[in-house]
Amino acid sequence: MASVVEYKGLKAGYHCGYCDSEGKASRGMWAHSMTVQDYQDLIDRGWRRSGKYVYKPVMNETCCPQYTIRCRPLQFQPSKSHKKVLKKMLKFLAKGEISRGNCEDEPMEPPMEDAVAGDAALINKLDIQCDLKKLGDNLKDSLEREEKKGKSAKKEESSGLIQSQDKRAKLGSGEPAHSVAVPVAPKPGKGADLSKPPCRKAKEIRKERKRLKLMQQNAAGEHAGLQAPRGPPPSFPPKAKSNQPKALEDLIFESLPEDASHKLEVRLVRSSPPSSQFKATMLESYQVYKRYQMVIHNQPPDKPTISQVRLVPVSFEDPEFKSSFSQSLSLYVKYQMAIHQDSPDECGKTEFTRFLCSSPLEAENPPNGPDCGYGSFHQQYWLDGKIIAVGVIDILPYCVSSVYLYYDPDYSFLSLGVYSALREIAFTKQLHEKTPQLSYYYMGFYIHSCPKMRYKGHYRPSDLLCPETYVWVPIEQCLPALESSKYCRFNQDPGAVDEGRSTEPDRVQVFYRRAVLPYGVYRKQRRDAGEEADVLQYASLVGQACSERMLLFRS
């Protein structure tokens, strides 16, 4: 199924939780459905999703610019603080030791990435209005008609479009999977969920056997008065080995004693469409989320006070009304919930489902993809038979994209924010073994202007996305510029341009009145100058390739 989106345009002047100003600015669209390749291309242009709402900060206008950041797991080396967190977890699992000193963890974040925090009411409204069922049958019929027409038309298309289709073809059919089986425990030698810490890869075991054999040979040569050919003296191999840094997997999956105090298991379950494992554990997962939210909303415990009463004209022309509209709308939604007697628990479930369970991504299982397939998942951390943390992730053609993490605050001493990030980096490396092109770990947005949000830059090597040319630049090269200016163009080539920019807006695909047609044809039928500006802006933001694949819904 093709991606179907409704462009919602600019939202500016709403509250920012990072700097506590009214200076946030972003553009967004509602995604009824989306292929994983389209979303991969969008996040490589600075977009990000929260539930089914996909948004892109207006980087040169927003108060706290948010730069897309990715880590390179294949070259990743854990820092000293990362190793401390892993050792702390192993000590807790092995002996039950609890270290409550320095948690070495990351700051808690609200579930709706701050760029959409002011859009809660808007997204709730869109979720009701933008119902895919209303489009489904019409879209299906239209796509079938277009597919028949397209077979003859494909030969006449531009080479750029052909290349983008070939790229997607390599990743599979793009058709949604009707049933996706994600095993709870990994099969011997493989499995997508990085299950038990004591498990060790066959490759590691072979390396250890080879090392022991070499040591035995060296020892035998020493007793016989001989030296191993082309090798260092017998006393050197262990020393040389100890100087080599341990791989991340070795630190995570260090063997535990048989009488370990605790058992940790990480399970991967598909969240959209929900698998049977996800459904069976959803209530327990929600209870963890609710406890996490209670701690967030109680830090710090502000006392409500009425400091002043303001009278403002009801007009978007008035700057004060415009800047306070988002907060006013949120207050109205809370008031309506109180009237309709929705319990806080029910409201929390709605938010949890809408932002952390719902996803526009279609499940895809191409033969050359990872065993678990592509799409949206929850990684559940089970300690002694109960969920203590959940990482919400998207598995895409070239990366694992971290969406959000929530955990039981009782286990904050385990630094679960750092620990889960390291597990997800290791998980990306595991997926890479089966799917070589999947080799990056996307951590969302890096916000340099907010000191407490700089922790994502501690996972090295990592890159930031240039907000103008959409090329990746090593973070070390970006930091000096960010120290002097909140907004930066990282690409130092003054002549460089956005290679994926929209150059043929008439080729934007539009879904209108049960038909899929190019924007050039649609424009002749409608002749609406205001709408044309919206479509051109949409095309410039998503790029030429996505604008030709995704369907822009017009009512």
Side-chain angles (χ1 to χ4, degrees), residues 20-256:
D20 200 28
S21 73
E22 306 297 324
K24 297 300 290 185
S26 67
R27 292 186 173 93
M29 57 188 176
W30 185 262
H32 293 282
S33 65
M34 185 166 285
T35 66
V36 291
Q37 184 61 55
D38 283 341
Y39 186 57
Q40 175 72 69
D41 290 350
L42 285 176
I43 63 175
D44 282 335
R45 293 183 64 82
W47 291 81
R48 185 158 168 78
R49 78 172 183 89
S50 182
K52 292 187 175 183
Y53 186 69
V54 188
Y55 64 95
K56 176 176 167 49
V58 184
M59 298 292 283
N60 59 347
E61 295 180 19
T62 192
C63 55
C64 296
Q66 297 162 281
Y67 299 92
T68 303
I69 182 171
R70 73 178 187 185
C71 173
R72 286 175 260 153
L74 304 187
Q75 293 85 37
F76 176 77
Q77 284 295 331
S79 66
K80 284 186 178 181
S81 62
H82 294 153
K83 292 176 182 177
K84 283 181 182 178
V85 169
L86 295 175
K87 287 177 182 177
K88 180 167 56 178
M89 175 63 81
L90 288 171
K91 286 181 180 179
F92 173 73
L93 295 176
K95 304 176 182 178
E97 290 185 12
I98 297 176
S99 173
R100 296 187 183 272
N102 184 7
C103 280
E104 300 276 353
D105 209 5
E106 297 153 357
M108 287 179 157
E109 291 186 77
M112 297 164 282
E113 280 264 0
D114 193 68
V116 293
D119 282 343
L122 169 66
I123 295 173
N124 291 344
K125 182 180 177 183
L126 291 177
D127 201 22
I128 297 169
Q129 291 180 343
C130 303
D131 187 355
L132 184 58
K133 291 178 182 177
K134 297 176 184 177
L135 304 175
D137 296 336
N138 293 339
L139 176 59
K140 186 177 180 182
D141 295 341
S142 177
L143 288 176
E144 287 175 355
R145 290 198 303 271
E146 288 300 313
E147 190 175 354
K148 291 176 183 177
K149 292 179 185 177
K151 288 181 180 178
S152 59
K154 274 183 183 178
K155 295 178 182 179
E156 302 172 8
E157 291 182 343
S158 67
S159 60
L161 178 60
I162 291 171
Q163 288 173 0
S164 67
Q165 287 176 332
D166 288 343
K167 189 177 182 182
R168 184 172 64 174
K170 292 178 183 178
L171 299 165
S173 65
E175 291 295 320
H178 298 290
S179 59
V180 183
V182 182
V184 172
K187 294 178 182 178
K190 65 177 182 178
D193 61 357
L194 290 179
S195 188
K196 303 174 184 177
C199 291
R200 302 176 65 190
K201 293 181 182 178
K203 186 178 178 181
E204 294 171 1
I205 295 172
R206 287 197 300 272
K207 281 184 178 179
E208 185 171 345
R209 285 176 181 167
K210 187 175 180 180
R211 189 164 61 247
L212 290 172
K213 187 175 180 181
L214 179 62
M215 290 173 65
Q216 289 171 355
Q217 289 174 349
N218 288 340
E222 184 181 19
H223 289 303
L226 300 172
Q227 197 172 11
R230 297 184 184 179
S235 59
F236 284 8
K239 185 176 179 181
K241 201 71 182 178
S242 66
N243 288 337
Q244 295 181 5
K246 275 191 174 182
L248 177 62
E249 296 86 344
D250 295 335
L251 294 168
I252 292 175
F253 302 113
E254 193 169 311
S255 297
L256 293 172

Side-chain angles (χ1 to χ4, degrees), residues 98 121 149 208 221 298 364 371 378 449 463 543 555:
I98 297 176
K149 292 179 185 177
E208 185 171 345
N298 289 328
E364 299 180 25
D371 293 335
H378 280 195
S449 58
D463 310 298
S555 57

